[in-house]
Amino acid sequence: MSLASVADCAQPASPEAVRHDWTREEVRALFARPFPDLMFEAQRVHRLHFDPRAVQISTLMSIKTGGCPEDCAYCPQSAHYETGVKAEKLASLEAVLAEAQAAKAAGATRFCMGAAWRTPKDRDLDRVCAMIEGVKALGMETCVTLGMLTAAQAARLKRAGLDYYNHNLDTSPEFYGRIITTRTYEDRLATLAHVREAGIAVCCGGIVGLGESVEDRVGMITVLANLPKHPESVPINMLVRVAGTPLAEEPTVDPLDFVRTVAVARITMPRSFVRLSAGREEMSDEMQALCLLAGANSIFFGPKLLTTPNPAHSHDRRLLDRLGMVAMEAADRPS
Ligand code: SAM
Ligand code: DTB
Ligand code: SF4
């Protein structure tokens, strides 16, 4: 069936109901809608739940870089590939607090700490808990991404005051095995369940540009939108092609296809923050503006993601100014 003919029979999403029973057909039909209709629907849904001018600002820090035993084909930090990223030790508490303070001064309300681990060791978790406590004491929200967790580890993070845990599904269940062989989709879902059961907010999304089909994007969004509770935060990353990784030569993503993925995430997960995540350094301001119009309302702010570049503070400030948009204050966010 052509995309246009599927679009003709697409039903408008009901913005009032937060649904967890999306069928693949419905999500496929959203992806296939004519662009103006899709954008209109995404805007309508976005405006029901959020101030369309406000953008949540998070800042990332890599607290443990490189040397990761997993083989994620996109990742510069995997020990399986020669990418020039050197393996480092876990950062000191002082270094983390200095970066968090600087991020707060620059306007970030959430500090996200990433570690290139398959799963944390308990003694490392103690040190991460001290970081969480320290960043919380600065008055910032905390997020960590440390790989797979047991239920006990999730509970330990919750006791330290952790607000969010990032753990992405990355792609569809069918395509996943082409990207990662060292852990399964079910492993990812199990960690997400442990995080949820511990009472930590979930940050979970994926990547566009891995060589996946539109149907894989449909599959990924359908899984996310049918989780028992929608992730509070849904990062949509555009692949950052890093030399040395197996995906270094992937073709460029069609910007409008990326925008479509953002719009479908917004429509299917109406109350979630949709983060325009990795890949902004390669996006035009106009493409970013379209993503924000499609319902993205969170960004990573600061010149570095984990190991790759992100737009400079000054560039993002100017972009938001040009669009008449504002950074969201912690107090503005729905609880
Ligand atoms: N090791 C932990 C894990 O995999 O859950 C945490 C860190 S990992 C770098 C966090 C996420 O960053 C990945 O799940 C992936 O979605 C994203 N990511 C990593 N490399 C990327 C790249 N080159 N381009 C886009 N997103 C990327
Ligand atoms: C997410 O979805 N994207 C961020 C964050 N969660 C941890 C990471 C992007 C990493 C991009 C590649 C790098 O800088 O190493
Ligand atoms: Fe390791 Fe995470 Fe990179 Fe995969 S995405 S190689 S688990 S750091």
Side-chain angles (χ1 to χ4, degrees):
M1 196 186 293
S2 78
L3 293 184
S5 61
V6 176
D8 293 339
C9 53
Q11 297 295 313
S14 164
E16 285 74 29
V18 175
R19 294 179 47 195
H20 301 266
D21 60 351
W22 290 93
T23 65
R24 273 218 181 203
E25 289 66 31
E26 286 175 305
V27 176
R28 192 179 299 130
L30 285 173
F31 269 96
R33 288 186 97 172
F35 195 72
D37 291 353
L38 180 66
M39 292 295 278
F40 184 75
E41 178 70 354
Q43 284 251 317
R44 192 171 70 84
V45 171
H46 190 190
R47 283 164 183 263
L48 280 173
H49 300 289
F50 293 99
D51 175 348
R53 295 170 312 148
V55 180
Q56 191 278 329
I57 304 285
S58 295
T59 290
L60 261 178
M61 176 181 180
S62 179
I63 59 168
K64 195 298 173 194
T65 303
C68 183
E70 305 272 13
D71 69 352
C72 312
Y74 48 76
C75 187
Q77 304 200 68
S78 168
H80 295 256
Y81 318 123
E82 289 293 331
T83 64
V85 171
K86 283 214 203 79
E88 291 174 12
K89 292 200 179 117
L90 183 60
S92 69
L93 179 60
E94 295 67 36
V96 169
L97 295 184
E99 283 217 25
Q101 200 122 40
K104 185 181 177 187
T109 55
R110 190 179 308 162
F111 195 63
C112 307
M113 297 168 268
W117 287 324
R118 172 175 167 78
T119 185
K121 296 191 184 78
D122 285 343
R123 68 165 185 279
D124 290 330
L125 205 63
D126 288 341
R127 293 182 58 194
V128 173
C129 286
M131 294 171 188
I132 292 165
E133 284 159 9
V135 174
K136 291 281 290 180
L138 297 174
M140 298 182 85
E141 288 180 329
T142 51
C143 177
V144 297
T145 178
L146 314 172
M148 293 185 281
L149 295 183
T150 63
Q153 288 175 323
R156 170 89 184 85
L157 289 166
K158 174 68 182 174
R159 284 198 299 279
L162 182 67
D163 298 298
Y164 290 80
Y165 195 82
N166 167 245
H167 202 65
N168 291 339
L169 289 174
D170 282 340
T171 189
S172 67
E174 309 85 79
F175 193 65
Y176 186 87
R178 301 269 298 275
I179 301 298
I180 301 153
T181 69
T182 49
R183 53 159 200 253
T184 65
Y185 215 72
E186 288 65 37
D187 290 333
R188 292 304 260 190
L189 290 168
T191 291
L192 290 169
H194 295 324
V195 170
R196 187 55 89 196
E197 278 157 24
I200 300 167
V202 170
C203 172
C204 181
I207 308 180
V208 178
L210 301 171
E212 76 284 355
S213 63
V214 174
E215 188 60 24
D216 291 314
R217 294 174 196 154
V218 170
M220 176 181 84
I221 297 282
T222 307
V223 175
L224 290 169
N226 288 340
L227 288 171
K229 194 170 174 205
H230 291 164
E232 281 76 2
S233 207
V234 180
I236 305 292
N237 296 277
M238 186 174 81
L239 176 69
V240 180
R241 292 167 293 188
V242 177
T245 63
L247 300 182
E249 306 297 331
E250 277 303 310
T252 308
V253 174
D254 177 335
L256 297 182
D257 287 345
F258 185 88
V259 176
R260 279 182 183 279
T261 309
V262 170
V264 176
R266 164 52 63 225
I267 293 166
T268 53
M269 293 171 275
R271 292 177 191 267
S272 303
F273 280 81
V274 176
R275 181 171 305 118
L276 178 53
S277 201
R280 291 199 300 116
E281 180 70 353
E282 283 184 57
M283 295 179 195
S284 68
D285 285 357
E286 293 76 13
M287 176 177 172
Q288 293 187 60
L290 276 179
C291 290
L292 296 168
L293 289 175
N297 59 350
S298 171
I299 57 169
F300 284 124
F301 188 53
K304 202 171 173 194
L305 292 166
L306 293 172
T307 65
T308 64
N310 198 44
H313 286 125
S314 55
H315 187 104
D316 280 344
R317 284 201 189 96
R318 173 146 168 71
L319 176 60
L320 292 184
D321 278 354
R322 286 170 69 207
L323 296 171
M325 295 182 79
V326 292
M328 195 176 290
E329 297 291 329
D332 295 342
R333 285 193 300 276
S335 52

